[in-house]
């Protein structure tokens, strides 16, 4: 594949899926800062999320969601694996 998309990286309990991807592969990764029992890897900022995954970044961004009784941030990275 020339693009791998993982829109729920917080649900993986190991990094085996990431380490098996060849260097140079384009990735689109998403995570969030929601604390849930089924979230294995959570980050409190997009900066920390981007430091965890070794990518040559084309894009890094945050989208904040605010509801009357709940709020969280969603993070996205797009880049090539180093």
């Amino acid at each position: 594949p020339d693009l791998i998309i993982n829109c729920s990286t917080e649900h993986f309990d190991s990094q085996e899926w990431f380490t098996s991807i060849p260097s140079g592969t384009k990735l689109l990764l998403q995570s969030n800062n929601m604390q849930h029992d089924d979230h294995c890897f959570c980050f409190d900022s997009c900066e920390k999320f981007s430091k965890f995954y070794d990518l040559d970044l084309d894009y890094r961004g945050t989208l904040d969601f605010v509801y009357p009784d709940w709020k969280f941030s969603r993070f996205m990275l797009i880049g090539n694996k180093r």
Side-chain angles (χ1 to χ4, degrees), residues 14-52:
S14 82
Q15 293 304 318
E16 185 177 347
W17 70 271
F18 183 76
T19 58
S20 68
I21 296 170
S23 295
T25 302
K26 178 74 80 177
L27 293 136
L28 185 157
L29 305 178
Q30 291 184 333
S31 188
N32 59 61
N33 61 355
M34 290 186 283
Q35 296 297 320
H36 287 276
D37 291 341
D38 63 344
H39 287 187
C40 303
F41 286 98
C42 280
F43 303 93
D44 58 8
S45 72
C46 193
E47 182 179 356
K48 289 180 182 176
F49 178 49
S50 67
K51 287 181 180 181
F52 190 79

Side-chain angles (χ1 to χ4, degrees), residues 3-7 9 17-18 26-31 43 45-62 74-80:
L3 173 65
I4 295 175
I5 299 171
N6 183 337
C7 59
T9 61
W17 70 271
F18 183 76
K26 178 74 80 177
L27 293 136
L28 185 157
L29 305 178
Q30 291 184 333
S31 188
F43 303 93
S45 72
C46 193
E47 182 179 356
K48 289 180 182 176
F49 178 49
S50 67
K51 287 181 180 181
F52 190 79
Y53 291 100
D54 193 19
L55 303 178
D56 287 321
L57 288 176
D58 296 320
Y59 175 83
R60 176 176 71 187
T62 300
R74 189 135 183 88
F75 313 127
M76 182 172 13
L77 307 174
I78 302 172
N80 293 321

